[in-house]
Amino acid sequence: MVVRRYRLPRGGGGGALAVTASLVAAAVTGCAAPEEPPPPDPAGSVRGAADALVRAGSSKASTAMEMASGGTRVTIRGEGGYDFRRRTGHLRVVLPTDASGASPHRPITELLTPGALYMKNRGAGVPADKWVRVDTTTLDDGNLVTGGATDPGAAAELLRGAREVAYVGETELAGVKVRHYRGVADIAAAARVAAPQLRGALTAAAKGFSTDAVPFDAYLDGDGRLRKVRHQFSFSNQGRTVAVSSTTLLYGFGTRVLVTLPHGRDIYAGKVEV
């Protein structure tokens, strides 16, 4: 912006100064970058995130599940990938260390498929070379919590039941501009309109949780794809209320995700406590 200086005539200087101040204010305003207007339909944007992921095809995924109960707080982390078209994925889940700093358990390999969760290194008497298969439609939480990581597909489908959504603003996530939304997801409402492959698990969760309302923070990129979502679950376990914060990060869209299911002979047939 070029500023020119003029000599003001004697008398009437106050009016000239007022006009000059107005012109400067207008010039400064014109130089500033305009703010991006908020989306016209925040709830619609969030509910459409699952469809945007299907269009993207697949991605890498990072998960973190933080549980708090009786003053104790632990975090379980996972890394892997997910195919949003096939509704399949894999995660390497790492359990928290104990007081001495040692890990009490080897990392768990999880295979996510429609209606079933496969786990290796599950522990609890399961042979090291065997897999455990869990029917997610029979779990009280529909595998939103059980596996130590929320199924990325279920995390996105849960947003189809978004209610009371507010647009928080624009921010940056791993170098990508994203829009931040905050609201409450209704599990039962999400289950009714979820993709058929995940509908059974969400229906089970709607029946198992003490409340259908799940507060969330969701971050969507310019293509409407979900980049990050944080759900806050709460349920009762042996008379105690357990608060769970589950965060899913999605990146590396288009990454090839291969999931090979174990043979029947490699699946543990004994009883497993979930």
Side-chain angles (χ1 to χ4, degrees), residues 38-39 42 165-171 179-183 216-219:
V165 182
Y167 175 58
V168 179
E170 189 177 84
T171 185
R179 284 180 163 180
H180 179 191
Y181 300 86
R182 180 171 293 148
F216 70 83
D217 283 86
Y219 300 78

Side-chain angles (χ1 to χ4, degrees), residues 60-72:
K60 294 181 180 180
S62 294
T63 65
M65 183 168 288
E66 187 178 83
M67 302 184 182
S69 177
T72 301

Side-chain angles (χ1 to χ4, degrees), residues 70-110:
T72 301
R73 189 180 299 271
V74 298
T75 301
I76 303 172
R77 302 188 183 278
E79 294 283 343
Y82 196 86
D83 188 317
F84 292 95
R85 293 174 182 168
R86 293 184 173 88
R87 312 290 178 178
T88 58
H90 59 81
L91 291 172
R92 182 178 182 269
V93 177
V94 179
L95 301 180
T97 58
D98 58 21
S100 66
S103 177
H105 198 288
R106 289 188 298 170
I108 300 174
T109 300
E110 296 188 359

Side-chain angles (χ1 to χ4, degrees), residues 164-235:
E164 305 171 27
V165 182
Y167 175 58
V168 179
E170 189 177 84
T171 185
E172 193 170 286
L173 185 64
V176 178
K177 285 187 177 181
V178 293
R179 284 180 163 180
H180 179 191
Y181 300 86
R182 180 171 293 148
V184 177
D186 185 306
I187 303 177
R192 289 193 291 269
V193 295
Q197 301 96 321
L198 295 171
R199 194 171 297 161
L202 287 179
T203 299
K207 296 177 180 177
F209 279 100
S210 56
T211 175
D212 284 345
V214 179
F216 70 83
D217 283 86
Y219 300 78
L220 277 57
D221 64 17
D223 294 319
R225 300 174 301 193
L226 185 66
R227 289 279 182 161
K228 175 181 177 181
V229 62
R230 181 174 182 265
H231 292 111
Q232 297 180 61
F233 302 104
S234 181
F235 62 95

Side-chain angles (χ1 to χ4, degrees), residues 140-160:
D140 288 343
D141 65 291
N143 195 34
L144 293 175
V145 175
T146 292
T150 301
D151 181 318
E157 291 291 328
L158 186 54
L159 295 178
R160 292 189 188 275

